[in-house]
Amino acid sequence: MTHPPQIPQSLQQETSTDSITVCFHAILSKDFKLDPQNDLVFMVPGPPLGNWNDVIKMEATKHLGEHGYLVQGQIRISRMIVGVPIPYKYAVYKAREAGHERQYEHIYKMDAKGIVNRCLQVMNLQTQQGEWHQYDDIIWAEPGRGVMTRLRSFIGFNEGRDIARGRHLAGKVMLEMIFDLLRSWSAVNVENFLIHLDQFFAVNCSSLSLKEIGEQCGNLLGTA
């Protein structure tokens, strides 16, 4: 058991005018069995944004029924990180009697060996408000090792199919959020709508994990 991490001052706000707001959006899988009143969700960044001990708090903003929760969080950071690949992953702190149990997400990657992380790479596609939106997909729980897991494998559970369905669901939720910008029609909203679409495709059409960035990310792979 462990205590929930404290958000360091260095990650709470970047006060410089030469900064941007990075907004994270993701779907937390129902398999985490999140209790929004007691459990906590964090985005944990590696260098150069953090050191795997720093965290950004995510809020459960919408219950998606059988699919889990939409979780969102944000941080203001220096524009110097634009174009720099940054490893990160999500972690859930489950409330227990003796404290909190930390559960890192499981990132599915074919033929992956060792640690697999997500990759944040902000591009010069910020909105007029100076925002970059990181539209992530499903935050998966670690697969179980018990009888039910073996039973699912026996009856034909298709891991790849379920992952594809999860990404389709996440994409649908994110696009609904983006199209909501057009509910109030104005030149600014239309321009922001197009930028949000560009950001969505930039995130979802690029590699999900840091490992697939290859030499571009160099030795940024951290431990978590």
Side-chain angles (χ1 to χ4, degrees), residues 131-148:
E131 296 175 348
W132 170 269
H133 290 259
Q134 186 75 4
Y135 290 108
D136 284 327
D137 56 2
I138 302 289
I139 302 173
W140 296 102
E142 285 279 356
R145 297 180 176 85
V147 174
M148 288 304 297

Side-chain angles (χ1 to χ4, degrees), residues 14-41:
E14 165 65 47
T15 57
S16 169
T17 55
D18 191 24
S19 62
I20 61 175
T21 300
V22 180
C23 305
F24 294 88
H25 315 270
I27 307 297
L28 187 74
S29 168
K30 62 180 176 60
D31 293 333
F32 278 103
K33 298 180 174 60
L34 184 74
D35 176 357
Q37 301 301 317
N38 297 297
D39 298 339
L40 301 169
V41 183

Side-chain angles (χ1 to χ4, degrees), residues 36-216:
Q37 301 301 317
N38 297 297
D39 298 339
L40 301 169
V41 183
F42 294 102
M43 190 282 275
V44 187
L49 182 57
N51 60 6
W52 298 112
N53 292 317
D54 301 328
V55 294
I56 297 167
K57 192 168 188 284
M58 305 287 290
E59 301 289 346
T61 57
K62 185 177 182 180
H63 186 214
L64 301 174
E66 63 178 352
H67 302 301
Y69 284 87
L70 171 65
V71 293
Q72 302 181 91
Q74 67 179 44
I75 181 177
R76 288 190 65 83
I77 55 181
S78 170
R79 287 187 180 274
M80 292 181 65
I81 65 98
V82 171
V84 177
I86 299 169
Y88 71 99
K89 67 193 339 170
Y90 293 102
V92 177
Y93 281 71
K94 298 287 295 179
R96 308 297 189 204
E97 289 187 5
H100 282 77
E101 177 189 357
R102 181 176 59 198
Q103 299 178 3
Y104 280 109
E105 68 170 318
H106 181 77
I107 300 175
Y108 288 91
K109 274 294 172 185
M110 292 292 293
D111 303 321
K113 296 179 180 179
I115 296 170
V116 180
N117 297 311
R118 295 179 184 263
C119 185
L120 168 68
Q121 190 163 17
V122 176
M123 301 180 183
N124 286 311
L125 291 171
Q126 291 97 52
T127 66
Q128 290 191 6
Q129 292 76 30
E131 296 175 348
W132 170 269
H133 290 259
Q134 186 75 4
Y135 290 108
D136 284 327
D137 56 2
I138 302 289
I139 302 173
W140 296 102
E142 285 279 356
R145 297 180 176 85
V147 174
M148 288 304 297
T149 299
R150 294 196 296 271
L151 178 61
R152 292 174 76 193
S153 298
F154 177 76
I155 63 177
F157 168 69
N158 188 316
E159 181 180 279
R161 181 187 61 203
D162 276 30
I163 293 170
R165 287 176 177 173
R167 290 180 178 172
H168 176 78
L169 166 69
K172 182 174 182 291
V173 172
M174 303 305 169
L175 287 173
E176 286 176 352
M177 292 168 51
I178 294 172
F179 274 88
D180 276 347
L181 293 170
L182 297 179
R183 289 183 180 274
S184 178
W185 192 264
S186 69
V188 171
N189 281 356
V190 170
E191 182 173 350
N192 278 336
F193 164 76
L194 295 174
I195 293 173
H196 277 260
L197 273 184
D198 281 341
Q199 292 176 348
F200 173 83
F201 285 111
V203 172
N204 286 275
C205 293
S206 63
S207 298
L208 169 68
S209 73
L210 191 64
K211 284 205 167 186
E212 291 192 339
I213 301 294
E215 293 182 359
Q216 184 180 10

